[in-house]
Every structure is written in structure tokens, then in C-alpha cells.
Amino acid sequence: MPSDVLTQARRLRLVDLAAQLNNVAITPAEQRKSGACNVWGNSFSAAQMPDQPTITVAGIEFRTWHLRDAEPDNIRCAGQLIELPAGHYDWIHLIATGERRVEDELCLHFADHSADFEAVRVSDFWAAPAMFGETPALRSEAMHYPFHVQFGLAATAWHQRVPVTRRAALTGLRLPDNPALHVFALSLQPSPER
């Protein structure tokens, strides 16, 4: 890995989302009925998920939760406010997926009481290609249904990034009120001059 990528990875701020997790999108085969990555109760196969608390995608490290059991593993977006470690950042990196394609906005809150809206665009989890240039982050080659496992039908969560354009200290992030958007992890990339 190039040294500039390693330096960047060491500086990332991995955001603790544990208290906000409210949805199960990844299930073991024997607990498929717990899944809710869409309105039909589909879910990713836990057997095909990483078995460690952090994962790295395209040089970006993320903290994840419950990828191998049937506990809440993502935030199903309903307008939640996520407090962030105050700092100057260039990018918000997400592991997220959508029920169908999702195009919405995040509201970024700053220490000076300003707020910016930035577009978040995330592709479908259901056997679909990246429509917005994302990188696959979590992938299951089998789709769980409440009453069976469908092999050969992939599910994908994506690494997407959202810019922070204001040069003020970011302190919070309000998710959209959009239950089709699921956020599994969030990391902040500091501005290089800070």
C-alpha cells in the first residue's frame, strides 16, 4: 500500500455508531426472519461477512458491528442526528446501501452554527451494479429471504463518500428521513492542512 494511503488511513476518525444502530440487514441462515434490509425482509448472509470489528475498503478503515449475528448492524435512516468528533474534514466516508437506488441529502452541522446540505447517492443492495461510482464494501453471494436462502443472488453494501466543502469544524451529521437508506459505518477524513 502506498505510504500516502497509509498516512491517510492512520488519520481517519472512525465514528462510533453503536448507539444509533436500529436495523438488522445481515442474518445467519437460521435467523433469516430477523432480516429487514427491505420491506420484504431480505438480508445479507452473515456467513459471507468479515469476522472482525474493522474493515478496510479502498484504503479507508471503518468500524462495523454485528456482521456475523442477528443483532442491529446498521442505521435505517429516519432523520437521526449523529454527533461527530469536532474537526475539519474533507470527506465523510460511508458504508451504506439502498432499497433501490437512493438519492437524498445529508445535513452537515458545524461549530459556528452553520449547516450545509450535501447529496448522498447510494446504489441498490439487490444484485445491482454501482450506479454512482461506489466501491463494493460488503458482499453476500446469497440473499436471505424470511423462509429460504437464494444462492446466486448477490447483496452489496457500498463505500460512498460525501464532500465537506465548508472550512469550519464539523460537529454533527443529520441523516435523511429515508428508510430506504441503510448506513453500516462512517469514517471521517481530516483536511490535510489540519
Side-chain angles (χ1 to χ4, degrees), residues 111-134:
D112 63 3
H113 304 291
S114 60
D116 288 338
F117 288 89
E118 294 289 347
V120 60
R121 299 168 24 168
V122 180
S123 295
D124 194 356
F125 86 102
W126 184 288
M131 299 304 295
F132 306 114
E134 308 99 319

Side-chain angles (χ1 to χ4, degrees), residues 34-177:
S34 303
C37 198
N38 62 11
V39 297
W40 298 286
N42 292 112
S43 57
F44 292 70
S45 169
Q48 298 179 352
M49 294 295 111
D51 191 16
Q52 66 261 2
T54 60
I55 62 171
T56 301
V57 182
I60 304 299
E61 187 177 23
F62 293 94
R63 171 71 174 95
T64 58
W65 294 265
H66 303 293
L67 299 184
R68 307 271 298 177
D69 59 39
E71 296 295 320
D73 50 54
N74 73 94
I75 301 170
R76 186 175 221 164
C77 294
Q80 298 92 331
L81 178 63
I82 299 172
E83 291 185 20
L84 301 175
H88 291 80
Y89 302 103
D90 280 345
W91 294 102
I92 299 167
H93 293 270
L94 303 170
I95 294 180
T97 200
E99 299 176 41
R100 310 283 184 193
R101 289 190 300 257
V102 174
E103 296 187 64
D104 214 314
E105 291 180 322
L106 303 177
C107 183
L108 283 55
H109 295 269
F110 297 90
D112 63 3
H113 304 291
S114 60
D116 288 338
F117 288 89
E118 294 289 347
V120 60
R121 299 168 24 168
V122 180
S123 295
D124 194 356
F125 86 102
W126 184 288
M131 299 304 295
F132 306 114
E134 308 99 319
T135 303
L138 300 170
R139 188 167 174 87
S140 164
E141 296 302 327
M143 181 78 70
H144 284 182
Y145 286 75
F147 297 101
H148 75 284
V149 175
Q150 183 68 49
F151 295 97
L153 183 59
T156 306
W158 307 96
H159 168 213
Q160 182 58 287
R161 63 185 187 171
V162 175
V164 181
T165 57
R166 186 177 296 268
R167 293 297 175 201
L170 182 66
T171 59
L173 170 70
R174 186 165 302 278
L175 297 171
D177 187 4

Side-chain angles (χ1 to χ4, degrees), residues 12 21 28 99 118 133 146 149 152 169 182 184:
L12 289 171
L21 301 176
E99 299 176 41
E118 294 289 347
V149 175
H182 299 260
F184 294 84

